[in-house]
Amino acid sequence: MAFWSSTSVFTSKVPRKILFMFTLSLSVTYLFYSLMSCYNSFQFQENYVYQGRLATEETTFVTLREKLYSTSSQVYFDEEFVERTATEQTIAVSSVRNSVGIDERTAGWVRAQAATTSMMSRAAAAAAGEHEHPEFSTTDSELRRVVNCTSDYGVQKLPQAIIIGVKKGGTRALLEALRVHPEVRAVGNEPHFFDRNYERGLDWYRELMPSTLEGQITMEKTPSYFVTNSAPKRIHSMARDIKLIIVVRNPVTRAISDYTQTLSKRPEIPTFEVLAFKNRTLGLIDASWSALRIGIYALHLESWMQYFPLSQMHFVSGERLIVDPAGEMAKVQDFLGLKRIVTDKHFYFNKTKGFPCLKKPEDSSTPRCLGKSKGRTHPKIDPDVIRRLHKFYKPFNMMFYQMTGQNFQWELEVDGNSPGSRD
């Protein structure tokens, strides 16, 4: 009776409004604890979802890498995809850390307030402890893999092979055919590093190169290297084991092709016959004219042989590259240590241009043929001039055959209408 009497006195003295607020406060506190418990459970479920997504991301990366290695002509790398994946993985790490932190703070607070809620929180914290280290281990590994994944998709390297010449020999046709090969990555434009831009340094040169995967070859072509006196030494100082490709062509038709190109840009220049002779009456050939000097192949090759053995050089016949592109490509691929992937099925003969073109790729609507600057018809040249030029080149050609161990049979072409009689 005394207890109920004291209680009645207490409730009578405490305003009902304060009692109501106290009761409401207890109810809200209980509700808050319950919600926090549900939130913790949700956080752990969310972590498992993130883990599942990370596993999916890893599978996607493997698939993409395999696809890139099987790409036939060009490497494609979606940087936005990698950046987005790296961001999501970072969010996953933050989610795990936040979950663990909230778990620990909630558990401590609840233990100080209510025994039942404390037991639930300790159970949740224990569950978090079980998953904490495995999740951080996996996620950190994934993040490191994403940071370093650029090496999987290629790095810029100095070239392992260069098409060094010759101008108007068929270097562009050869380069475009080689770029079909999945293990070749080549610069489209001519860098002119070893003859015009050498002072810019090797780092500048490397940045011009496309990214290559392991097993791929980096290449470039600049035909003027072959006739640049300083180029052999400079290339040797960069890579003494580099492979060099020289596309050669009958020096007479090559000179006419060279002149045809210049004529298309400068129609006012003198005729070929005028430029070819110092004194036509006496039959004195002007070997200082660049169009003729380039064709003295033995003279230029001598400079290269001072730095490189013949085993590191491969000579492509410009004439055979027109009549049998697949045959010449087979030899080039062998020289580069590549599988013979570029074959006759990749070419068709374009009668309008007068040389082979690459057949339509699967991802293109038009065949890949050299531009309108290629395939110009040569101007008509006086047959006597052509005969004299063949006579002029003959001893140099014989020397070139002896140096290379190959007979290109240019002496059989005396009418200037060889398979290469186009620019």
Side-chain angles (χ1 to χ4, degrees), residues 262-311:
T262 304
L263 183 65
S264 68
K265 300 174 182 178
R266 299 169 52 197
E268 74 282 0
I269 64 173
T271 63
F272 181 87
E273 290 85 350
V274 171
L275 294 172
F277 291 92
K278 288 184 176 180
N279 188 319
R280 185 173 179 181
T281 303
L282 298 177
L284 297 177
I285 303 295
D286 188 359
S288 64
W289 183 31
S290 62
L292 297 184
R293 187 171 180 81
I294 290 174
I296 309 176
Y297 302 139
L299 176 67
H300 308 298
L301 180 60
E302 189 175 21
S303 299
W304 289 90
M305 292 183 69
Q306 293 178 17
Y307 292 92
F308 298 98
L310 279 175
S311 59

Side-chain angles (χ1 to χ4, degrees), residues 369-409:
C369 210
L370 299 183
K372 60 182 180 181
S373 64
K374 306 294 183 180
R376 302 185 188 97
T377 302
H378 290 175
K380 186 67 176 179
I381 307 297
D382 186 340
D384 180 64
V385 173
I386 294 176
R387 182 184 59 80
R388 292 192 182 193
L389 286 176
H390 273 287
K391 185 177 180 181
F392 166 76
Y393 279 119
K394 185 174 181 178
F396 298 110
N397 291 344
M398 294 301 174
M399 187 182 301
F400 183 67
Y401 298 165
Q402 186 176 13
M403 294 170 72
T404 61
Q406 300 180 47
N407 187 344
F408 294 90
Q409 300 182 339

Side-chain angles (χ1 to χ4, degrees), residues 71-105:
T71 302
S72 62
S73 61
Q74 152 177 357
V75 174
Y76 174 75
F77 180 36
D78 191 346
E79 295 179 349
E80 181 181 356
F81 172 74
V82 173
E83 182 179 355
R84 185 171 66 249
T85 303
T87 302
E88 289 180 356
Q89 290 174 334
T90 305
I91 292 173
V93 175
S94 300
S95 174
V96 173
R97 289 173 178 168
N98 291 339
S99 175
V100 174
I102 291 172
D103 229 8
E104 292 175 350
R105 289 195 301 271

Side-chain angles (χ1 to χ4, degrees), residues 113-351:
Q113 298 297 324
T116 304
T117 309
S118 175
M119 292 176 62
M120 294 175 60
S121 299
R122 281 198 298 269
E130 292 176 1
H131 292 282
E132 179 179 353
H133 293 294
E135 287 187 0
F136 271 113
S137 175
T138 302
T139 306
D140 287 344
S141 175
E142 288 293 312
L143 286 174
R144 284 193 297 272
R145 195 167 63 82
V146 170
V147 171
N148 298 325
C149 70
T150 52
S151 62
D152 291 340
Y153 295 97
V155 294
Q156 290 174 299
K157 298 179 182 179
L158 293 171
Q160 294 91 53
I162 304 178
I163 301 174
I164 61 174
V166 298
K167 180 183 179 184
K168 309 310 298 179
T171 57
R172 171 58 61 180
L174 176 64
L175 180 70
E176 293 304 316
L178 277 172
R179 293 175 78 180
V180 174
H181 201 292
E183 294 178 14
V184 172
R185 296 281 286 144
V187 183
N189 297 325
E190 297 174 2
H192 284 281
F193 175 66
F194 295 103
D195 58 349
R196 302 178 189 173
N197 299 299
Y198 193 66
E199 70 283 353
R200 294 176 180 265
L202 287 175
D203 290 338
W204 177 86
Y205 184 47
R206 184 187 290 106
E207 290 177 359
L208 299 179
M209 299 299 121
S211 296
T212 53
L213 302 173
E214 184 179 354
Q216 288 184 318
I217 295 176
T218 303
M219 292 188 65
E220 69 116 321
K221 77 105 177 171
T222 304
S224 56
Y225 290 163
F226 187 65
V227 298
T228 301
N229 292 332
S230 57
K233 182 178 181 180
R234 290 173 173 178
I235 294 177
H236 184 267
S237 66
M238 178 192 72
R240 60 182 60 190
D241 59 345
I242 197 168
K243 294 184 177 181
L244 306 171
I245 300 176
I246 305 100
V247 187
V248 290
R249 182 182 185 186
N250 185 319
V252 178
T253 53
R254 197 223 65 83
I256 298 173
S257 178
D258 200 334
Y259 172 80
T260 303
Q261 183 182 52
T262 304
L263 183 65
S264 68
K265 300 174 182 178
R266 299 169 52 197
E268 74 282 0
I269 64 173
T271 63
F272 181 87
E273 290 85 350
V274 171
L275 294 172
F277 291 92
K278 288 184 176 180
N279 188 319
R280 185 173 179 181
T281 303
L282 298 177
L284 297 177
I285 303 295
D286 188 359
S288 64
W289 183 31
S290 62
L292 297 184
R293 187 171 180 81
I294 290 174
I296 309 176
Y297 302 139
L299 176 67
H300 308 298
L301 180 60
E302 189 175 21
S303 299
W304 289 90
M305 292 183 69
Q306 293 178 17
Y307 292 92
F308 298 98
L310 279 175
S311 59
Q312 289 177 225
M313 303 183 199
H314 180 73
F315 300 89
V316 177
S317 168
E319 287 80 20
R320 288 197 291 270
L321 190 60
I322 293 174
V323 298
D324 183 21
E328 286 300 298
M329 286 303 302
K331 297 175 185 177
V332 173
Q333 290 171 96
D334 291 347
F335 171 70
L336 294 175
L338 301 172
K339 183 179 180 180
R340 291 187 179 183
I341 291 179
V342 184
T343 61
D344 54 359
K345 68 180 181 181
H346 289 90
F347 301 95
Y348 77 97
F349 190 81
N350 187 308
K351 294 181 180 179

